[in-house]
C-alpha cells in the first residue's frame, strides 16, 4: 500500500531543536503535538500550576466539561514581582481534531499577572469560557508568556481562529515560559475507546 | 433562448428519426443546454411508462450525444434504457456526476476514510504516549522529592533526639563541698 503511505500526513512530532535547555523530544508537549500545532519549541523557565478544584492539571490529563466548568486556580512562579505575565488558554482542535478548521478557540486571556502570584491578581481581558467539545477529544492548552511591560497586551476582537503564535508576536511576548495541556471530550464520550 | 414545447420537440424527432443524430443535436442545442425550463416536462415524461418505444429511444437520442454514440443507443432495447435512465435523464445535463459515483468516488471515499482513521489512530497513540511520558516525569520528580523530604525528616529527628539527650542527662556541675 505504498500509494496510501506516500499520502500519509506528517505524523512525526516536530523535532525540538535541542539546546541543552529546551524541551526534549519525549516531552509531553512535543509528543502531544502542542509544540507544533500551537507553540514553538521553548524552554520552561517559570512554574505554572493549574488546578481545577482539587485536581491539578498534568499534561494529557482527561477532564470532562463538568470538571472544567469554572475557571481554575492558576499560580505562577518567577521571582521578581515587577515582571508581568500573560496567560492564554486555547483549544486548537475546534470544531473537531480530525478537521480543526476553526483552530484555535480562545477560552481565556489574563494579562498583567505579577510573578509569584496568580490569575486572581491579573487582568482578565477575555473571560473564562468553559470548554464544551462536541466532537472528538480536544486538547486544551494553557500557555504563559512574559510581558515586556505592564498593560502592553490587548484582547482580540473574537475568540475563534485565534493564533497564539501571531498573538505572541504582535505583543512582543516572545517564546512561552511555561505551558500545560489537558484533554477534554464531551461528557458522554467513550474516552476514545470502542468495544 | 427559445422556449420549445415538448410537442414540437417530439414532432421534430419523429420526423427526423431516420436522420443522423448530429442533425438533431444542432437543431435542439438550446433545449439541451438549458434544461431548467424543460425539467418539469422531462420529469412528467419520465413518469410515463417506459415501454413505449419511440419516446424512450428518442429521449436517449437526446442524451445520447452526451453519453455513448447515439446510434447504438437507438438500437438498444428498453431494458438497457431503463437502467441508464435515472442517471442520464436526471443528470445528463450536469455532467457525469452519478456515472462516476459508483466506481471512482467509492474508492476515494474508502481511501479518505482510511486516511482519517489512520490520523485518528496516530492522534490516539500520541495522546497515550504523552500522558505516559508525563506520568514518568512525575514519578521521577516525586521520587526525588520523597527522598529529599525523608532526608529532611531524618535530620530533624536526629537533631531533636540529641537535643533531648542533652537535656535528660543530669550533670553535676557545681556542688557544695558538704
Amino acid at each position: 500500500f505504498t500509494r496510501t503511505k506516500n499520502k500519509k500526513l506528517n505524523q512525526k512530532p516536530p523535532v525540538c531543536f535541542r539546546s541543552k535547555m529546551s524541551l526534549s523530544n519525549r516531552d509531553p508537549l512535543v509528543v502531544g503535538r502542542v509544540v507544533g500545532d500551537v507553540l514553538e519549541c521553548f524552554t520552561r523557565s517559570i512554574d505554572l500550576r493549574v488546578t481545577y478544584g482539587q485536581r491539578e492539571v498534568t499534561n494529557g490529563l482527561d477532564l470532562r466539561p463538568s470538571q472544567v466548568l469554572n475557571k481554575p486556580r492558576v499560580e505562577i512562579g518567577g521571582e521578581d514581582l515587577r515582571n508581568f505575565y500573560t496567560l492564554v488558554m486555547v483549544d486548537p482542535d475546534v470544531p473537531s481534531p480530525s478537521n480543526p478548521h476553526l483552530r484555535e478557540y480562545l477560552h481565556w486571556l489574563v494579562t498583567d499577572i505579577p510573578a509569584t502570584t496568580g490569575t486572581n491578581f491579573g487582568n482578565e481581558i477575555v473571560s473564562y469560557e468553559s470548554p464544551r467539545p462536541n466532537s472528538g477529544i480536544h486538547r486544551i492548552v494553557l500557555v504563559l508568556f512574559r510581558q515586556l511591560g505592564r498593560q502592553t497586551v490587548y484582547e482580540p476582537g473574537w475568540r475563534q481562529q485565534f493564533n497564539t503564535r501571531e498573538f505572541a508576536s504582535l505583543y512582543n511576548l516572545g517564546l512561552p515560559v511555561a505551558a500545560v495541556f489537558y484533554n477534554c471530550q464531551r461528557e458522554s464520550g467513550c474516552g476514545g475507546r470502542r468495544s | 433562448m427559445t422556449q420549445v414545447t415538448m410537442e414540437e420537440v417530439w414532432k421534430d424527432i419523429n420526423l427526423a428519426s431516420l436522420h443522423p443524430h448530429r442533425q438533431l443535436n444542432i437543431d435542439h442545442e438550446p433545449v439541451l443546454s438549458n434544461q431548467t425550463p424543460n425539467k418539469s416536462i422531462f420529469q412528467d415524461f419520465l413518469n410515463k411508462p417506459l415501454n413505449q418505444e419511440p419516446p424512450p429511444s428518442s429521449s436517449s437520442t437526446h442524451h445520447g450525444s452526451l453519453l455513448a454514440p447515439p446510434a447504438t443507443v437507438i438500437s438498444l432495447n428498453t431494458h438497457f434504457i431503463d437502467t441508464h435512465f435515472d442517471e442520464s435523464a436526471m443528470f445528463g445535463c450536469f455532467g457525469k456526476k452519478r456515472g462516476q459515483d459508483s466506481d471512482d468516488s467509492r474508492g476515494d471515499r474508502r481511501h479518505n476514510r482510511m486516511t482519517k482513521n489512520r490520523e485518528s489512530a496516530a492522534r490516539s497513540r500520541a495522546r497515550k504516549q504523552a500522558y505516559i511520558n508525563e506520568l514518568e516525569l512525575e514519578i521521577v520528580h516525586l521520587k526525588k522529592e520523597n527522598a529529599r523530604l525523608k532526608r529532611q525528616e531524618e535530620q530533624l529527628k536526629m537533631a531533636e533526639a540529641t537535643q533531648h539527650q542533652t537535656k535528660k542527662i543530669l550533670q553535676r556541675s557545681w556542688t557544695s563541698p558538704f
Side-chain angles (χ1 to χ4, degrees):
Chain A
F1 265 96
T2 36
R3 177 173 63 104
T4 50
K5 237 186 184 174
N6 290 336
K7 288 186 184 168
K8 197 162 76 170
L9 289 175
N10 173 33
Q11 290 171 9
K12 295 205 176 139
V15 174
C16 229
F17 288 109
R18 305 212 36 199
S19 69
K20 236 187 187 172
M21 307 267 279
S22 73
L23 303 176
S24 88
N25 284 342
R26 289 180 50 82
D27 193 289
L29 288 172
V30 177
V31 174
R33 303 219 65 198
V34 170
V35 168
D37 291 346
V38 184
L39 307 174
E40 295 300 324
C41 192
F42 66 97
T43 305
R44 286 190 182 85
S45 56
I46 303 290
D47 286 337
L48 175 65
R49 216 172 125 110
V50 180
T51 317
Y52 278 102
Q54 287 303 309
R55 233 176 251 102
E56 185 181 340
V57 174
T58 50
N59 288 315
L61 186 67
D62 271 295
L63 294 170
R64 299 288 167 132
S66 57
Q67 298 170 314
V68 296
L69 267 177
N70 302 308
K71 67 176 87 161
R73 186 171 83 246
V74 178
E75 296 156 305
I76 69 171
E79 284 167 358
D80 195 337
L81 273 167
R82 290 169 300 179
N83 289 330
F84 296 93
Y85 294 85
T86 291
L87 180 81
V88 181
M89 178 169 154
V90 291
D91 178 350
D93 298 326
V94 288
S96 104
S98 56
N99 185 17
H101 61 270
L102 296 176
R103 170 174 293 179
E104 307 150 25
Y105 189 86
L106 181 64
H107 280 274
W108 199 24
L109 183 55
V110 187
T111 62
D112 299 337
I113 307 168
T116 74
T117 67
T119 44
N120 291 334
F121 294 81
N123 191 10
E124 191 182 26
I125 60 176
V126 176
S127 60
Y128 180 81
E129 189 184 296
S130 72
R132 293 241 302 252
N134 207 3
S135 162
I137 301 179
H138 295 219
R139 294 164 296 176
I140 310 291
V141 188
L142 291 109
V143 199
L144 194 69
F145 292 98
R146 175 150 161 222
Q147 293 170 210
L148 283 183
R150 223 174 126 250
Q151 293 186 331
T152 52
V153 181
Y154 302 99
E155 77 271 27
W158 44 85
R159 293 178 188 257
Q160 50 264 54
Q161 309 218 278
F162 184 78
N163 188 315
T164 306
R165 279 184 177 97
E166 278 177 18
F167 177 79
S169 162
L170 181 63
Y171 295 111
N172 296 302
L173 296 171
L175 289 176
V177 294
V180 72
F181 81 99
Y182 61 90
N183 294 314
C184 190
Q185 63 185 284
R186 67 175 215 272
E187 211 68 45
S188 57
C190 62
R193 283 175 277 273
R194 256 200 301 218
S195 108
Chain B
M1 188 173 67
T2 52
Q3 290 283 358
V4 186
T5 64
M6 208 53 194
E7 277 75 49
E8 291 173 76
V9 171
W10 288 132
K11 230 196 290 174
D12 285 335
I13 290 166
N14 284 331
L15 286 173
S17 59
L18 293 172
H19 289 212
H21 76 286
R22 294 209 190 283
Q23 205 171 338
L24 246 174
N25 241 8
I26 296 161
D27 287 340
H28 300 285
E29 198 105 300
V31 176
L32 280 174
S33 57
N34 180 19
Q35 292 294 330
T36 339
N38 292 337
K39 204 176 185 179
S40 53
I41 302 167
F42 271 136
Q43 295 204 345
D44 292 342
F45 162 76
L46 282 173
N47 286 333
K48 286 191 200 162
L50 297 171
N51 332 354
Q52 297 169 21
E53 270 283 313
S57 55
S58 307
S59 80
S60 52
T61 316
H62 263 291
H63 297 283
S65 59
L66 298 170
L67 299 172
T72 53
V73 173
I74 294 169
S75 59
L76 286 169
N77 55 24
T78 43
H79 178 67
F80 176 79
I81 291 159
D82 283 354
T83 56
H84 271 260
F85 225 13
D86 257 5
E87 306 174 5
S88 52
M90 302 294 274
F91 298 100
C93 47
F94 296 114
K96 300 189 183 174
K97 228 176 178 178
R98 272 289 176 86
Q100 209 178 22
D101 221 31
S102 39
D103 293 323
D104 292 348
S105 62
R106 208 194 297 146
D108 271 344
R109 260 182 279 147
R110 218 183 90 239
H111 183 238
N112 263 347
R113 209 173 330 123
M114 271 168 53
T115 319
K116 278 194 161 183
N117 187 255
R118 198 176 294 126
E119 289 167 23
S120 176
R123 268 198 306 275
S124 186
R125 285 191 300 270
R127 199 166 41 237
K128 183 177 181 184
Q129 193 61 49
Y131 188 55
I132 287 175
N133 289 3
E134 176 75 15
L135 290 178
E136 287 177 348
L137 287 172
E138 261 192 88
I139 287 176
V140 170
H141 182 239
L142 289 171
K143 276 188 173 171
K144 278 189 187 164
E145 200 180 331
N146 204 23
R148 184 179 63 85
L149 288 170
K150 278 189 173 166
R151 257 182 286 126
Q152 213 174 55
E153 199 192 354
E154 274 302 306
Q155 286 174 352
L156 283 172
K157 265 192 181 164
M158 294 239 301
E160 205 211 322
T162 47
Q163 217 175 29
H164 209 58
Q165 279 167 8
T166 50
K167 269 191 182 165
K168 256 195 172 164
I169 296 172
L170 292 172
Q171 292 193 346
R172 298 195 94 170
S173 48
W174 297 102
T175 50
S176 65
F178 50 84

